[in-house]
Amino acid sequence: MADKIYRINMNDLSFTIEDVPSEWMGLGGRGLTSTIVAKEVDPQCHPLGPNNKLVFAPGLLSGTSAANSGRNSCGAKSPLTGGIKESNVGGTTAGIMAKLGIKALIIEGLPQDDSTFYHLHVSFEKVEIQQVPELVGKNNFEVLDHMLAKYNKKVAVMSIGRPAEQKMLISNISVKDPKGKLRSHGRGGLGAVMGSKKIKCITVDAEKFNEASANIVDPEKFKEANKVFTKALQENPISGEGLPAFGTNVLVNILNEAGALPTRNFRSGQYDFAENICGETMAENIKARGGSTTHGCHAGCVIQCSQTYNDKDGNYLTSGFEYEMIWAFGANFGIRDLDLIAKIDALMDDLGVDAIETGVTMGLAADAGILAYGDGAKAYEILANDVSNGTPLGRIIGSGCANLGKLYGLVRVPVVKGQSIPAYEPRAVKGQGVAYATSPMGADHTAGYAVATNILNSGGFVDPLKKEGQVALARNLQIATAAVDSTGMCIFVAFPALDDPKCLPALIDMINARFGISLSGDDVLNLGANILKTERAFNIKAGLTSASDRLPEFMNYEPLPPHNLVWDFTNEEIDEFWNF
Amino acid sequence: MQEIHITIKLFAQYREERFKVEQRKIKKGTSAKDIMDVLGISEHKLPLGVLMVNSKHEKEDYILQEGDTLALFPKVGGG
């Protein structure tokens, strides 16, 4: 039996199961969520109103034995950027949805009775929609415990915390990982969209499932290609050695050394206390205190970049303790104590707020005089009390960096399309700056990771401090990434893919073997290019223009130490990006 | 023989059984590769990933100058 579209209508709390239209057959993950959003959502709708839709889609290879294929995409019109959004996550949803034969889960409408929240339980050919007044006002871990007690440990859980119930723009959708901790569809305020639809949590249960969904047309070819692919991941020095040993946080020191670690709300490219918060220090702490340097965010991950982090007494503090979060609250907001950053990380998992948007907003809040730079205790208190309870201050922080900047009359506001800039300084990693400016998602490092080639010597080297070659680099990476985001693959397959000629062909061989098709490398790149164009077209109809493809103006005239460079691309040079 | 002063910084696995940061006096005309040989990094099981001098990417044949800071990384990544 072929895969199906599960469609839930919150207007009348009904569901339908539909055949997959032929034009959606070859799509998965981001390619499918963006295609559905572009086709079915009015680009000019209010993102929190009745006409937005929330779409989940596992990747083309999710649910198979392909290594690192467990990413699930979530798409909608973003209330943060006003444009299209796709945010993907590990956890257990992609595999379980794929097992059930769910090509995409589309949630539309708003319930008539908005006095409470609902729980959606998705199982084979069935969706149960129940009110859950007992979960209203609860944060993620309590919701997770409740669902695991109600069902079984294998059920996939997606949930929102209190900030998303209040439709705050920093809110995300949290997803259970294989160890019962949380990962997130972090960016773009997708939690607020789920909150607007009054959905507190979604469970996906594959106790009974569609045997045929797991069918692979050419199992021998698939197995062979997976072997080559897995070997490429394991033998690559980054995905095979560096990431498992130090996690993503190994980047603190190299970005700091390169003068590209945004510090004190993007005033400098170097942080005097980088050594306190770096991946090497984190790995030393884990070794001394117990915990684990390796943890996979989804089943089938052979990279294991994540970790479990304990306090000085060996008690659990947090897991999934990643570079972006540590940078945002460390260098950019100024906390020097890694353990305090870990406590905030665990709190943000529970609340369900995006680590990047929240951390960058906190850095700007220090500029606004709301709290002092580096005052982690106060930041914790604002999140735990004000943001969670929705006080006026909590709502100001919860509205994200761009809105905070407007409210306080600030100029140094590091956003693109209303979304906070992640942990790589555009003035000192110019290729990444082009990717931030042009991505239909707003400032998003995962949309085209030019850091790889600008800083890490992956896929060759393009000088990060010069303009030459950056537009082409950002374009090629964004096209390839849009395609990879459709397969269900973790973005870190990019490291072997950039340097090992066997890696990408093996990935394409797996797709071909699974579906009995014969895509070429060019077909896959065309898919990526089409996804980008589809997303861009949605944004233009939503009212975004070329003028939205710009970095914040202060970067044009404030030189960034230590290289003392400004952002020096002309508008015409940036607009050249879309020439494909 | 003329000597110059440099700072060497090591990162990730290169720190194991070596150091994080050290000041050294070296012979003028020494290349970054010479330093890697002395430190045993040229033979490390993890090949050189990134070499920076004074926060800029350079190649192994770079000739060190008075006051330079040399930073050596194995291949690292994340995001």
Side-chain angles (χ1 to χ4, degrees):
Chain A
M1 201 184 74
D3 289 350
K4 299 285 181 188
I5 303 291
Y6 282 37
R7 188 184 293 274
I8 296 166
N9 187 338
M10 293 303 291
N11 289 327
D12 57 4
L13 306 177
S14 65
F15 78 96
T16 53
I17 295 176
E18 301 164 6
D19 290 337
V20 180
S22 60
E23 65 269 28
W24 294 357
M25 291 282 192
L27 299 171
R30 173 177 169 186
L32 187 54
T33 63
S34 287
T35 299
I36 293 174
V37 170
K39 180 161 189 288
E40 298 195 359
V41 174
D42 175 0
Q44 295 187 10
C45 76
H46 194 296
L48 304 178
N51 293 317
N52 199 7
K53 300 190 184 189
L54 191 63
V55 183
F56 295 92
L60 288 167
L61 292 171
S62 300
T64 71
S65 60
N68 287 69
S69 63
R71 304 285 296 189
N72 206 30
S73 288
C74 178
K77 177 175 176 177
S78 164
L80 185 72
T81 68
I84 199 165
K85 174 57 63 181
E86 184 267 355
S87 175
N88 63 70
V89 70
T92 58
T93 46
I96 292 180
M97 278 176 63
K99 211 170 166 187
L100 285 172
I102 302 177
K103 183 87 171 163
L105 176 67
I106 304 174
I107 304 170
E108 51 197 41
L110 302 181
Q112 308 296 314
D113 177 6
D114 67 355
S115 65
T116 188
F117 275 81
Y118 294 84
H119 162 218
L120 313 183
H121 185 65
V122 180
S123 55
F124 185 53
E125 294 185 338
K126 194 169 163 192
V127 179
E128 292 156 81
I129 305 171
Q130 300 158 345
Q131 293 196 350
V132 280
E134 68 279 17
L135 295 182
V136 177
K138 307 295 185 198
N139 281 321
N140 283 316
F141 284 115
E142 202 173 331
V143 177
L144 185 59
D145 288 346
H146 194 93
M147 289 301 137
L148 294 184
K150 183 169 180 178
Y151 298 101
N152 57 59
K153 296 283 176 199
K154 282 185 180 166
V155 73
V157 183
M158 296 184 263
S159 65
I160 59 168
R162 301 185 72 187
E165 284 185 19
Q166 300 171 77
K167 296 183 268 189
M168 290 187 189
L169 299 181
I170 63 171
S171 65
N172 65 29
I173 298 173
S174 298
V175 179
K176 175 184 169 284
D177 81 6
K179 284 194 181 157
K181 302 300 179 190
L182 294 171
R183 316 295 304 187
S184 347
H185 292 286
R187 307 225 65 198
L190 292 172
V193 178
M194 187 154 147
S196 75
K197 299 194 177 303
K198 309 298 289 187
I199 297 168
K200 184 66 185 172
C201 68
I202 304 170
T203 44
V204 192
D205 194 341
E207 203 172 14
K208 192 181 151 205
F209 63 98
N210 182 4
E211 299 281 351
S213 293
N215 278 358
I216 286 168
V217 173
D218 188 343
E220 277 311 304
K221 190 177 156 195
F222 186 93
K223 207 170 141 191
E224 195 49 43
N226 193 19
K227 209 185 283 175
V228 174
F229 182 73
T230 305
K231 197 160 172 251
L233 295 186
Q234 287 172 330
E235 288 182 351
N236 179 269
I238 297 178
S239 52
E241 297 268 0
L243 279 167
F246 297 103
T248 56
N249 199 30
V250 74
L251 291 175
V252 165
N253 274 333
I254 196 163
L255 269 299
N256 192 54
E257 192 61 28
L261 185 73
T263 297
R264 229 179 142 81
N265 191 30
F266 290 75
R267 279 182 175 79
S268 168
Q270 286 180 326
Y271 182 46
D272 289 342
F273 302 93
E275 198 57 42
N276 292 27
I277 61 166
C278 68
E280 289 89 335
T281 297
M282 186 163 108
E284 272 175 33
N285 288 353
I286 290 172
K287 199 173 165 194
R289 301 170 175 185
S292 168
T293 57
T294 55
H295 168 61
C297 76
H298 62 278
C301 168
V302 299
I303 300 177
Q304 304 274 312
C305 72
S306 206
Q307 61 302 102
T308 306
Y309 187 79
N310 294 343
D311 67 12
K312 287 191 177 79
D313 303 321
N315 299 314
Y316 174 85
L317 270 179
T318 196
S319 70
F321 194 27
E322 308 297 342
Y323 167 63
E324 297 291 335
M325 188 279 158
I326 294 166
W327 155 76
F329 282 86
N332 202 51
F333 172 63
I335 302 177
R336 300 172 190 179
D337 174 0
L338 191 59
D339 293 357
L340 182 51
I341 300 174
K343 280 182 202 151
I344 294 173
D345 186 63
L347 173 65
M348 292 201 304
D349 278 350
D350 196 28
L351 293 172
V353 292
D354 177 30
I356 298 173
E357 194 62 43
T358 307
V360 175
T361 304
M362 209 57 86
L364 192 66
D367 271 11
I370 293 172
L371 75 176
Y373 271 104
D375 189 347
K378 181 76 180 166
Y380 187 96
E381 187 192 310
I382 288 175
L383 291 169
N385 297 329
D386 293 284
V387 170
S388 185
N389 294 325
T391 68
L393 173 60
R395 286 206 167 265
I396 289 169
I397 300 292
S399 298
C401 192
N403 287 317
L404 176 70
K406 281 181 195 162
L407 287 170
Y408 279 77
L410 300 171
V411 176
R412 191 184 297 98
V413 181
V415 299
V416 180
K417 299 183 178 77
Q419 180 167 286
S420 289
I421 296 180
Y424 314 90
E425 233 304 335
R427 286 164 285 185
V429 196
K430 290 184 187 284
Q432 198 58 49
V434 175
Y436 291 153
T438 51
S439 169
M441 301 296 152
D444 179 348
H445 61 295
T446 68
Y449 194 61
V451 175
T453 310
N454 277 179
I455 301 288
L456 307 174
N457 283 343
S458 283
F461 176 67
V462 175
D463 190 335
L465 305 176
K466 299 199 171 102
K467 294 204 288 185
E468 287 72 31
Q470 307 291 9
V471 172
L473 175 66
R475 184 193 295 128
N476 292 339
L477 286 171
Q478 285 199 58
I479 288 172
T481 303
V484 170
D485 283 345
S486 302
T487 61
M489 284 292 160
C490 156
I491 192 63
F492 292 156
V493 308
F495 292 115
L498 283 165
D499 286 327
D500 183 342
K502 294 188 291 296
C503 183
L504 266 188
L507 175 57
I508 296 168
D509 284 346
M510 283 194 287
I511 297 171
N512 287 337
R514 179 171 192 197
F515 297 103
I517 52 178
S518 51
L519 293 177
S520 67
D522 283 346
D523 292 334
V524 172
L525 290 180
N526 282 336
L527 170 69
N530 285 334
I531 294 166
L532 276 183
K533 285 180 177 175
T534 300
E535 293 169 343
R536 161 96 164 159
F538 180 95
N539 283 356
I540 299 284
K541 285 188 213 153
L544 280 72
T545 67
S546 295
S548 314
D549 286 357
R550 303 289 178 257
L551 294 184
E553 188 201 12
F554 76 88
M555 292 187 174
N556 297 343
Y557 57 75
E558 275 192 14
L560 182 85
H563 296 297
N564 295 314
L565 294 173
V566 294
W567 179 252
D568 52 356
F569 283 83
T570 65
N571 294 342
E572 291 72 24
E573 284 166 340
I574 296 295
D575 293 343
E576 187 58 28
F577 174 90
W578 287 104
N579 214 349
F580 64 92
Chain B
M1 185 182 69
Q2 225 182 326
E3 286 188 324
I4 57 168
H5 301 81
I6 63 160
T7 301
I8 304 168
K9 292 182 181 176
L10 302 179
F11 296 95
Q13 289 94 337
Y14 289 173
R15 286 182 171 182
E16 288 158 21
E17 292 166 30
R18 291 186 189 82
F19 54 85
K20 289 181 185 176
V21 56
E22 222 173 80
Q23 265 81 39
R24 288 204 179 181
K25 268 195 291 190
I26 59 164
K27 208 167 58 177
K28 197 175 174 191
T30 301
S31 70
K33 175 75 167 65
D34 295 333
I35 301 287
M36 288 171 55
D37 289 345
V38 169
L39 294 175
I41 282 175
S42 304
E43 296 84 41
H44 197 282
K45 72 175 172 122
L46 296 176
L48 182 74
V50 173
L51 186 161
M52 286 187 228
V53 178
N54 306 330
S55 293
K56 290 184 179 171
H57 289 70
E58 298 288 352
K59 296 205 170 74
E60 291 176 33
D61 61 2
Y62 175 89
I63 303 297
L64 291 154
Q65 308 293 316
E66 172 65 29
D68 276 352
T69 295
L70 171 68
L72 300 170
F73 299 82
K75 273 273 194 182
V76 296

